[in-house]
Amino acid sequence: MKVPLSWLREHVDLPAVTAHEVADKLTAAGLKLESIAAHGHDVKNVVVGEVLTVEELTGFKKPIRHCLVEVGEAEPRQIVCGAANFEAGDRVPVVLPGGVLPGGFEVGARKTYGRLSEGMICSERELGLGDDHHGIMVLPKDTPIGTDVVELLGLRDDVLELEITPDIGYSLSIRGVAREAATAFGVAFRDPAAVELPADTEPSYPASIGDPSTCDRFVLREVRDFDPSAPSPLWMRTRLTRAGMRPVSLAVDVTNYVMLELGQPLHAFDRSKLTGEIVVRRAAQGETLEALDHVVRKLDHDDILITDGSGAISMAGTMGGLHTEISDDSTDIVIEAAHFSATGIARMSRRHNLVSEASKRFERGVDRELPLVASWRAVQLLTSLGGATAVPGVTHAQTEVSPVRIAIPTSHPGAVAGVPYSRETVVTRLEQVGCTVVPGSDPAPQRGGVDATGVVSGGDTDGLLAVTGDDMITVTPPSWRPDITDPNDLAEEVIRLEGYANLPSILPKAPAGAGLTEAQRLHRRVGRALAAAGYVEVLAYPFVGERDLDHLQLPDGDDRRNAVRLANPLSEDEPLLRTTLLPGLLKTLVRNVGRGFGDVALFETGLVYRPGQGVAAKAPVLGVDHRPSPEELQSIEAALPRQPQRVAVVLAGEFERSGWWGQGRQATWADAVQAARLVAGEARVELAVVADQHEPWHPGRCAALYVGDVLVGHAGELHPRAIEAYGLPPRTCAMELELSRLEAAMPGPVDTPPVSSYPIATQDVALIVPDWTPVADVEAALREGAGELLESVRLFDVYTGAQVGEGNKSLAYTLRFRAADRTLTVEETTAARDAAVAMAADRVGAQLRGV
């Protein structure tokens, strides 16, 4: 909503404040400021001149005129002009040499077309008054020569642009903003709707409401003998332009002007094109309408129409029909003003993707009492400006609507805000909003309320309520505030006018034991650990396509191909919710490699979406008239896919960088496995690593990761076909692990073990085992055989070659022993080592190397 400050001042006795000060006050009252536009402040040295003579210059491709213009100086000015819509004796605006027009355009004296031009005669657009540039602006004959045009035409003005939220539709008018400004500054407000209406008892053009659910008030007035050639006055065109609307013709401009002033949309019909009674009703099956935008629309049975004997003539509150529009020869006009269903207009506007200035106001709620006033205001303007004659009488069809009455204790706004407000403050603020406040509780049915203890009773869905109490008041909201239907709405008005800035900033007390969950702590620990290990976190979109699943070499029937399809995907290439984190990471890796970053280690934590068998195609749509029942909530849960939390890493290039310190090390499958061990360590669980074959990993370099008997993920080198499909660097490695399963396997609170002060004893062993033997099995055997004295076991070398025989490998381990109560002897550590070797020999057939 664009609000010219000069228009606002007509209805509010604002003090000598700037536009920015007005904007600050309105912002504090809850109206959001978008911008402030200044008009005419840079214009200077523009005066009224009288054209004395006009000489037509020949020999040019377009008409050129040399004029002698009297501007109130000692000598007339010579001005060359290309417009032809004025003649000698006309009064025109003239910018003299040294003058400035809007936009900082300076005008000087210069020679042009062989003549001296001492200034410029201006059009409306050049003065910033509109878009009309077809000719010079001709002023009334009695305009004094030499008068300052800036003051004469009110060129200097400021325009506030406000963003109007759905709950303050009344501010889509000068009337609504002026009321807020008057309250904010504590000054008088002159309501433009406070007019005395004629005592019309006879109906005007016949009309009725066919469907009360569409409209509860419908008003028609008539004017005749209107002069269709009468121009809109300059002041009206200027205000419309600065308020963001384009002047069209006097009849149309009047309806737009009244809508901006009062907030009541109007529509004008050519009476000669109407046939029979006008009826407001729903659309019939198969009806169509060609609207003013020349588009023929097929109407829906829920659309609200204004019809006559010929059928539909207007989409109510949205756009009129082309057949009954005001044309250049329309002399008899019917003015329509109504109060339509807000939800009905909103649905129709969205259904046809047709948003108009009228629909924006109706869907936010319009003052039900305005149709009579606004239609009369339009009739007055048409008669005074267009020479029309008002036809006595008014058609007024309506259905009764019970007023909203809300009973609340005066302590309720303070209870909501946490700041005590006196009874006088609450009553005063509500009256400033326009509410009628009476002491006590109204025994009549109400739409909601608060009991004497301060408990809010709901609105329409909770039944009707009558409340009693010494502190109670009954509030009737004004007709222009249809958004006030609840006790909390009234509390909001009091708090808003008292000032949000006056509310103390008090942080709520955190309840004990409401910190991070164990899953959240694990998620954070995993992220920190991987980042510390050299990985960079990425956040990929959770969307994949069938091509991503094909690139991963997933076979038909793989559970990861069973994905949830989005109803409205951002891209048709990625219409599925991911069932694995790998596609997003791999595409991020490709993007980095393509930009010259070949040594990459990335990780991501996030949800995957794994629908089970028999899951409903979509969640049921529930109503909003009640809280969902446990059964309905269960039906929604049943329709949702399983959403486990996962972590994944990808590695390519060097994991340990080369440099002046020496040669680096390429990332291998072992780094991917180590990343999994790092994650498991944060969950305080031990991973068992077992050789496996699982897409998209290389069948000979893939490890399945277990916690006990539970499979929690896979790690290793990717399959060459997957690497080729994605365009990845050779021997790219990856790991994916399900954090949700790790969390389930986490032990409870851990008691810190006592730290032994006795020294460590180390023993190294090298064992020869078949090359297919899992390292995890060898380590498990060593741990079990060494007994409770073993503190840790670490693999530090793997060797294959002729010395250990074909088909074998040598695994070298460091065993660390320590006792809590003594220094171990050589005999004790040797015995523990021998027991560990014996257990490995028994379990996996290990032989001590060198024996």
Side-chain angles (χ1 to χ4, degrees):
M1 176 67 186
K2 294 183 177 181
V3 182
L5 205 56
S6 61
W7 199 352
L8 196 67
R9 289 183 182 275
E10 280 194 6
H11 307 293
V12 185
D13 294 328
L14 292 177
V17 292
T18 65
H20 288 276
E21 291 173 307
V22 175
D24 290 343
K25 286 285 190 179
L26 293 177
T27 300
L31 278 67
K32 182 180 178 183
L33 177 71
E34 285 289 306
S35 63
I36 300 177
H39 295 272
H41 291 279
D42 53 349
V43 178
K44 66 178 181 179
N45 212 13
V46 183
V47 299
V48 175
E50 180 180 359
V51 180
L52 301 178
T53 62
V54 177
E55 177 187 356
E56 303 286 346
L57 302 183
T58 59
F60 301 102
K61 294 181 180 180
K62 61 180 181 179
I64 300 297
R65 313 171 88 192
H66 180 258
C67 308
L68 198 62
V69 182
E70 173 63 48
V71 293
E73 297 178 337
E75 296 291 337
R77 293 280 186 173
Q78 302 178 61
I79 299 178
V80 176
C81 183
N85 68 313
F86 65 95
E87 59 188 15
D90 283 344
R91 304 284 171 94
V92 294
V94 178
V95 54
L96 301 177
V100 180
L101 291 177
F105 179 70
E106 296 185 8
V107 176
R110 64 191 181 98
K111 192 171 184 180
T112 180
Y113 296 101
R115 299 295 182 93
L116 178 64
S117 182
E118 300 175 297
M120 187 173 76
I121 306 176
C122 304
S123 67
E124 289 186 14
R125 190 173 74 176
E126 289 163 343
L127 292 174
L129 293 174
D131 294 328
D132 189 1
H133 196 57
H134 295 94
I136 292 304
M137 180 180 181
V138 179
L139 301 172
K141 296 286 188 179
D142 57 351
T143 307
I145 297 174
T147 303
D148 184 359
V149 170
V150 173
E151 298 296 331
L152 177 70
L153 302 181
L155 295 184
R156 293 193 180 98
D157 202 356
D158 293 294
V159 178
L160 309 179
E161 184 173 2
L162 305 173
E163 179 184 336
I164 306 303
T165 53
D167 60 325
I168 54 172
Y170 65 92
S171 294
L172 279 170
S173 66
I174 299 296
R175 180 196 186 204
V177 178
R179 180 180 285 107
E180 291 293 338
T183 302
F185 283 95
V187 295
F189 166 64
R190 292 180 292 277
D191 190 351
V195 297
E196 185 177 350
L197 299 176
D200 294 319
T201 56
E202 297 182 359
S204 180
Y205 194 92
S208 63
I209 300 173
D211 186 345
S213 68
T214 64
C215 175
D216 57 34
R217 177 162 285 177
F218 192 76
V219 174
L220 296 179
R221 295 186 190 269
E222 286 187 64
V223 297
R224 294 181 183 171
D225 301 326
F226 171 74
D227 181 5
S229 64
S232 299
L234 177 62
W235 59 266
M236 180 178 287
R237 299 199 308 272
T238 300
R239 285 187 170 177
L240 289 174
T241 301
R242 290 181 176 171
M245 303 198 73
R246 181 176 60 87
V248 179
S249 65
L250 179 57
V252 176
D253 292 349
V254 163
T255 59
N256 288 335
Y257 183 85
V258 174
M259 177 185 68
L260 290 172
E261 182 180 57
L262 300 179
Q264 170 67 54
L266 302 175
H267 189 70
F269 296 102
D270 186 333
R271 193 190 191 286
S272 64
K273 299 175 183 177
L274 296 174
T275 56
E277 181 187 27
I278 290 179
V279 179
V280 184
R281 60 170 173 81
R282 301 279 181 182
Q285 188 69 32
E287 272 191 291
T288 61
L289 174 67
E290 183 176 6
L292 293 174
D293 58 358
H294 299 276
V295 176
V296 178
R297 291 178 173 83
K298 184 177 179 180
L299 302 173
D300 186 87
H301 66 89
D302 200 36
D303 290 343
I304 303 175
L305 302 181
I306 299 175
T307 65
D308 67 356
S310 65
I313 59 174
S314 176
M315 297 173 69
T318 305
M319 184 172 286
L322 186 64
H323 173 64
T324 57
E325 75 167 330
I326 301 297
S327 61
D328 293 339
D329 56 359
S330 298
T331 58
D332 296 343
I333 298 174
V334 175
I335 300 295
E336 169 254 308
H339 185 257
F340 297 112
S341 164
T343 55
I345 298 300
R347 288 171 180 165
M348 181 169 65
S349 174
R350 283 154 180 75
R351 187 180 302 118
H352 295 283
N353 194 24
L354 184 61
V355 179
S356 64
E357 291 294 329
S359 70
K360 285 193 294 186
R361 287 163 172 81
F362 276 121
E363 68 184 19
R364 286 167 169 81
V366 172
D367 186 352
R368 186 177 181 273
E369 302 301 323
L370 276 179
L372 286 169
V373 175
S375 59
W376 176 242
R377 172 78 165 132
V379 166
Q380 288 180 308
L381 290 172
L382 291 174
T383 55
S384 61
L385 301 176
T389 301
V391 177
V394 58
T395 299
H396 183 196
Q398 65 173 328
T399 58
E400 291 299 324
V401 176
S402 300
V404 175
R405 289 191 294 275
I406 308 168
I408 65 169
T410 55
S411 59
H412 181 62
V416 172
V419 177
Y421 297 128
S422 67
R423 180 186 180 92
E424 292 72 18
T425 297
V426 172
V427 172
T428 300
R429 290 304 189 185
L430 293 178
E431 289 177 343
Q432 286 177 336
V433 172
C435 298
T436 301
V437 182
V438 296
S441 60
D442 193 328
Q446 300 165 46
R447 196 178 282 190
V450 180
D451 63 23
T453 64
V455 178
V456 178
S457 168
D460 298 333
T461 61
D462 290 313
L464 302 176
L465 173 71
V467 186
T468 60
D470 296 336
D471 193 35
M472 301 300 296
I473 55 174
T474 298
V475 182
T476 303
S479 58
W480 59 84
R481 293 300 303 272
D483 59 296
I484 299 179
T485 59
D486 184 85
N488 289 326
D489 294 334
L490 297 175
E492 180 183 4
E493 293 302 308
V494 174
I495 298 168
R496 177 177 70 88
L497 295 182
E498 279 295 299
Y500 293 119
N502 295 326
L503 295 178
S505 179
I506 301 174
L507 293 177
K509 294 182 179 179
L516 296 177
T517 64
E518 187 58 40
Q520 291 169 328
R521 287 196 289 268
L522 175 62
H523 179 264
R524 294 190 179 190
R525 288 200 306 270
V526 166
R528 286 194 293 265
L530 289 174
Y535 292 85
V536 177
E537 185 175 16
V538 300
L539 296 174
Y541 283 115
F543 311 124
V544 297
E546 292 287 352
R547 184 171 61 179
D548 293 307
L549 305 179
D550 294 337
H551 287 353
L552 292 178
Q553 313 301 311
L554 302 185
D556 294 338
D558 192 294
D559 287 344
R560 288 168 290 179
R561 285 191 175 273
N562 182 23
V564 176
R565 183 172 293 273
L566 296 169
N568 54 341
L570 295 179
S571 169
E572 291 299 331
D573 294 333
E574 296 178 332
L576 308 175
L577 285 176
R578 66 189 178 191
T579 55
T580 169
L581 298 179
L582 292 180
L585 279 170
L586 296 179
K587 286 186 281 189
T588 304
L589 173 61
V590 170
R591 191 176 303 114
N592 279 270
V593 172
R595 285 160 174 74
F597 299 97
D599 304 320
V600 182
L602 307 174
F603 83 94
E604 180 179 11
T605 56
L607 300 178
V608 296
Y609 306 87
R610 305 297 296 270
Q613 298 298 326
V615 174
K618 61 180 181 179
V621 178
L622 304 182
V624 297
D625 57 341
H626 65 279
R627 186 184 185 279
S629 65
E631 293 76 17
E632 290 173 329
L633 292 175
Q634 187 175 2
S635 66
I636 295 176
E637 290 290 340
L640 295 177
R642 190 170 61 88
Q643 302 175 49
Q645 182 89 12
R646 291 195 174 185
V647 59
V649 305
V650 296
L651 305 99
E654 291 186 342
F655 189 67
E656 295 177 2
R657 301 295 177 85
S658 301
W660 60 266
W661 50 85
Q663 187 67 28
R665 182 177 64 80
Q666 293 289 315
T668 68
W669 60 268
D671 294 302
V673 173
Q674 180 57 29
R677 292 185 185 276
L678 188 66
V679 172
E682 296 300 326
R684 304 192 305 277
V685 297
E686 289 286 340
L687 280 184
V689 182
V690 181
D692 195 9
Q693 294 186 15
H694 187 72
E695 294 78 7
W697 283 275
H698 191 294
R701 303 186 183 114
C702 173
L705 309 173
Y706 286 88
V707 174
D709 296 330
V710 179
L711 177 66
V712 295
H714 289 83
E717 184 180 311
L718 293 179
H719 197 289
R721 284 199 291 268
I723 290 175
E724 181 181 1
Y726 273 103
L728 301 169
R731 310 202 72 169
T732 297
C733 302
M735 178 276 291
E736 186 171 22
L737 216 161
E738 192 155 308
L739 285 177
S740 299
R741 293 181 180 177
L742 281 185
E743 181 194 355
M746 289 176 61
V750 178
D751 293 332
T752 303
V755 178
S756 175
S757 60
Y758 292 93
I760 290 175
T762 61
Q763 293 277 356
D764 292 342
V765 295
L767 303 176
I768 299 174
V769 296
D771 57 7
W772 48 263
T773 304
V775 174
D777 291 350
V778 178
E779 182 178 326
L782 291 174
R783 286 184 179 278
E784 184 175 347
E788 62 180 12
L789 294 179
L790 181 68
E791 185 174 87
S792 68
V793 56
R794 183 176 71 88
L795 176 69
F796 68 86
D797 185 51
V798 178
Y799 171 77
T800 58
Q803 296 184 20
V804 296
E806 185 177 355
N808 294 328
K809 62 183 176 182
S810 172
L811 305 176
Y813 291 91
T814 294
L815 308 180
R816 291 163 54 97
F817 299 94
R818 176 151 48 184
D821 56 350
R822 68 188 184 281
T823 299
L824 295 176
T825 64
V826 175
E827 291 76 12
E828 287 178 307
T829 57
T830 301
R833 181 202 63 184
D834 293 343
V837 172
M839 182 62 73
D842 183 59
R843 288 278 185 86
V844 298
Q847 296 180 358
L848 195 61
R849 185 176 174 183
V851 176

